[in-house]
């Protein structure tokens, strides 16, 4: 038997409903308090008639006040508060006039003067409508602060996406320069067929990488496929000197990571391990699940850090530094970036990321949208004429933090 899951909704998620709930509950509470007070003082039940009429009057006047306050709340403070005081005084006077008039109609033999009844009701009207006005402004100002916080989070997310895009755009020219330079060399050597083959593979690689947005995440399987395309290009240059090995656990093939995260690591290994050695080098890429994290290792059999051969090649400052900054933007302290190397023993880069799949993220997003699905971008009572509030997209603000980074090569 299917069980219907009940998920709590935020009170102000639907501001139209919240307004009428507060409006009805508030005036019903005032009616009940006045009724209990009169009954406890021994008044006959007939006194409830003017109390009910008074409550309906206050309910109606407060609806008119909500329309006026909606236009006042966004003005300068001096205009808002002075106009509110004047309008509140008029509204309280109208409330007191109707209250006193109803009392005299019900009690025509009363010796109490109209002005006395009016002044007594005026005090009550100021108290009730003043409390209603204060609550109106308090809730609206609170929601405006929440709205500004939401906008700030959205701006931070946009800035982060822009920075991630900038970091990603650094990689493409860096890689293209090296590849086009190799093609140019083949053309100068009149090796037409290898040059055409490299251009074809470069086209496939670019077509594959441009499918994803610059700030998107891809599965590990897609990233490995990109690496194979890249290595196909580089093997045109190095042939048997470049030997690649992949050890990818099937359990992590669907894990998500920033696109083009591993290509600079392999490019770094080719530059510092394969290029300077006559016999070339082995490049190994492995990935597996380690205590709930996706652990990726890229290693080579080159001369290692501080090796005599590697020291002759200057760094462009794009590769590993770029990756560290992208991880910092995307994961904060949840990611680990570590390098290990010693002379003559190659170079190893270890990355540990939170293990996430697209299905898992979609499921969590669905759960979050159920509890926080309404966007607070307008004042609450200014929206009570509309039917439903808009749905808000969840915003994930990346943490900004340092990483465990022991060594940096490029």
């Amino acid at each position: 038997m299917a069980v219907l899951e009940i998920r709590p909704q935020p009170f102000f998620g639907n501001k139209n409903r919240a307004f009428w709930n507060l409006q009805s509950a508030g005036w019903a509470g005032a009616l009940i308090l006045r009724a209990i007070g009169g009954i406890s003082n021994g008044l006959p039940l007939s006194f409830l008639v003017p109390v009910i009429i008074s409550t309906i009057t206050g309910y109606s006047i407060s609806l008119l006040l909500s329309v006026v306050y909606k236009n006042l709340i966004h003005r300068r403070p001096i205009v808002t508060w002075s106009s509110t005081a004047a309008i509140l005084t008029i509204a309280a006077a109208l409330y007191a006039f109707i209250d006193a008039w109803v009392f005299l109609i019900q009690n025509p033999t009363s010796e109490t003067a109209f002005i006395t009844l009016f002044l007594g009701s005026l005090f009550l009207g100021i108290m009730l409508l003043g409390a209603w006005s204060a609550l109106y402004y308090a809730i609206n100002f609170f929601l405006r602060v929440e709205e500004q916080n939401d906008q700030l989070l959205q701006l931070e997310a946009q800035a982060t996406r822009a920075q991630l895009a900038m970091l990603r755009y650094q990689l493409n020219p860096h890689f293209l320069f090296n590849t086009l330079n190799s093609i140019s060399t083949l053309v100068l050597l009149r090796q037409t067929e290898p040059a055409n083959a490299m251009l074809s593979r470069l086209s496939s690689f670019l077509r594959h990488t441009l499918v994803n947005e610059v700030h998107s995440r891809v599965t590990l399987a897609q990233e490995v496929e990109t690496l194979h395309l890249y290595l196909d290009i580089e093997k045109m240059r190095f042939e048997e000197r470049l030997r690649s090995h992949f050890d990818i656990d099937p359990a992590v093939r669907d894990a998500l990571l920033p696109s083009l995260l591993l290509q600079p690591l392999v490019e770094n290994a080719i530059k510092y391990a394969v290029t300077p050695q006559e016999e070339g080098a082995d490049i190994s890429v492995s990935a597996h699940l380690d205590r709930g994290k996706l652990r990726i290792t890229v290693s080579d059999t080159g001369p290692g850090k501080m090796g005599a051969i590697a020291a002759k090649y200057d760094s462009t400052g794009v590769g590993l530094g770029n990756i560290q900054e992208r991880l910092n933007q995307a994961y904060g302290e949840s990611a680990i970036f570590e390098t290990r190397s010693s002379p003559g023993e190659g170079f190893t880069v270890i990355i540990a990321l939170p293990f996430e799949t697209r299905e898992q993220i979609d499921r969590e997003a669905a759960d979050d949208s159920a509890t926080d699905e309404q966007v607070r971008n307008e004042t609450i009572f200014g929206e009570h004429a509309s039917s439903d509030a808009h749905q808000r997209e969840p915003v994930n603000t990346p943490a900004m933090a340092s990483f465990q980074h022991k060594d940096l090569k490029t």
Side-chain angles (χ1 to χ4, degrees):
M1 180 177 178
V3 178
L4 180 61
E5 184 178 0
I6 300 177
R7 294 172 176 173
Q9 298 290 330
F11 183 78
F12 291 110
N14 187 324
K15 289 179 282 188
N16 175 56
R17 181 182 60 212
F19 172 83
W20 292 110
N21 287 343
L22 287 175
Q23 178 79 347
S24 301
W27 287 106
L31 173 63
I32 293 173
L33 288 176
R34 292 183 67 182
I36 292 176
I39 293 174
S40 63
N41 289 326
L43 296 178
L45 293 179
S46 59
F47 92 97
L48 290 177
V49 174
V51 170
I52 293 175
I53 295 176
S54 176
T55 303
I56 295 175
T57 300
Y59 187 96
S60 303
I61 292 176
S62 63
L63 290 180
L64 297 176
L65 289 178
S66 69
V67 177
V68 177
Y69 290 168
K70 173 187 174 182
N71 298 319
L72 288 177
I73 195 168
H74 297 291
R75 299 182 181 273
R76 292 182 301 173
I78 184 65
V79 175
T80 299
W81 299 123
S82 59
S83 300
T84 298
I87 293 171
L88 179 60
T89 301
I90 296 173
L94 177 61
Y95 175 88
F97 177 84
I98 295 175
D99 201 22
W101 179 61
V102 170
F103 181 83
L104 288 178
I105 291 178
Q106 188 185 22
N107 302 279
T109 59
S110 175
E111 298 179 356
T112 306
F114 177 83
I115 188 63
T116 303
L117 294 172
F118 175 81
L119 292 176
S121 298
L122 180 63
F123 176 77
L124 178 62
I126 291 177
M127 293 293 294
L128 290 176
L129 295 177
W132 187 95
S133 301
L135 183 62
Y136 179 95
Y137 280 117
I139 293 176
N140 274 275
F141 284 133
F142 167 76
L143 292 181
R144 290 180 66 185
V145 170
E146 290 295 310
E147 175 190 353
Q148 292 173 355
N149 289 337
D150 292 341
Q151 292 175 348
L152 179 60
L153 292 177
Q154 292 176 3
L155 290 174
E156 290 178 351
Q158 292 173 1
T160 300
R161 287 195 296 269
Q163 188 165 2
L164 288 173
M166 178 194 68
L167 293 170
R168 165 76 179 274
Y169 283 134
Q170 288 179 358
L171 295 177
N172 293 337
H174 184 246
F175 161 69
L176 286 175
F177 173 80
N178 291 336
T179 305
L180 293 176
N181 186 53
S182 299
I183 295 174
S184 175
T185 301
L186 291 175
V187 172
L188 289 175
L189 295 176
R190 299 184 182 278
Q191 299 182 17
T192 307
E193 292 186 4
N196 287 335
M198 185 173 286
L199 277 174
S200 177
R201 293 175 182 180
L202 174 61
S203 175
S204 300
F205 175 79
L206 292 179
R207 187 182 303 110
H208 188 273
T209 56
L210 291 176
V211 169
N212 300 306
E213 297 181 4
V214 294
H215 54 268
S216 67
R217 291 196 293 176
V218 299
T219 64
L220 181 60
Q222 292 173 311
E223 186 73 1
V224 170
E225 182 181 355
T226 303
L227 284 182
H228 281 299
L229 291 173
Y230 170 72
L231 287 170
D232 286 342
I233 296 173
E234 293 297 342
K235 285 179 180 179
M236 295 291 299
R237 297 170 53 198
F238 298 100
E239 298 180 344
E240 299 300 325
R241 296 173 58 202
L242 173 57
R243 300 174 294 275
S244 59
H245 309 278
F246 288 86
D247 180 18
I248 309 299
D249 187 347
V252 298
R253 288 179 57 85
D254 292 331
L256 295 177
L257 70 163
S259 62
L260 278 186
L261 184 71
L262 303 183
Q263 184 269 336
L265 298 178
V266 175
E267 182 178 358
N268 185 76
I270 292 175
K271 179 177 181 180
Y272 290 102
V274 178
T275 301
Q277 299 187 121
E278 184 177 353
E279 70 277 11
D282 294 306
I283 299 177
S284 301
V285 180
S286 65
H288 62 277
L289 194 62
D290 181 18
R291 289 176 292 183
K293 285 182 174 288
L294 170 63
R295 186 179 180 89
I296 303 173
T297 303
V298 179
S299 59
D300 61 60
T301 58
K305 184 69 174 176
M306 300 178 63
I309 300 177
K312 296 189 298 182
Y313 293 84
D314 296 328
S315 168
T316 62
V318 174
L320 298 186
N322 184 293
I323 294 175
Q324 181 192 16
E325 184 62 24
R326 292 181 69 191
L327 292 174
N328 183 60
Q329 289 289 328
Y331 297 100
E333 293 180 344
S334 299
I336 296 174
F337 182 85
E338 182 180 334
T339 61
R340 297 174 183 175
S341 180
S342 58
E345 297 184 3
F347 191 83
T348 301
V349 177
I350 300 173
I351 296 176
L353 308 174
F355 180 78
E356 297 175 320
T357 62
R358 202 173 305 280
E359 292 75 12
Q360 176 184 348
I361 292 177
D362 291 342
R363 184 170 58 253
E364 292 176 354
D367 293 339
D368 291 341
S369 64
T371 57
D372 192 19
E373 62 182 0
Q374 306 296 336
V375 61
R376 288 165 289 197
N377 60 350
E378 295 185 36
T379 57
I380 172 176
F381 298 146
E383 280 293 302
H384 63 74
S386 63
S387 59
D388 291 308
H390 297 288
Q391 184 174 5
R392 177 170 60 183
E393 296 182 356
V395 177
N396 298 322
T397 305
M400 301 295 295
S402 58
F403 285 79
Q404 300 178 24
H405 180 217
K406 298 183 178 179
D407 192 9
L408 195 62
K409 188 172 181 180
T410 61

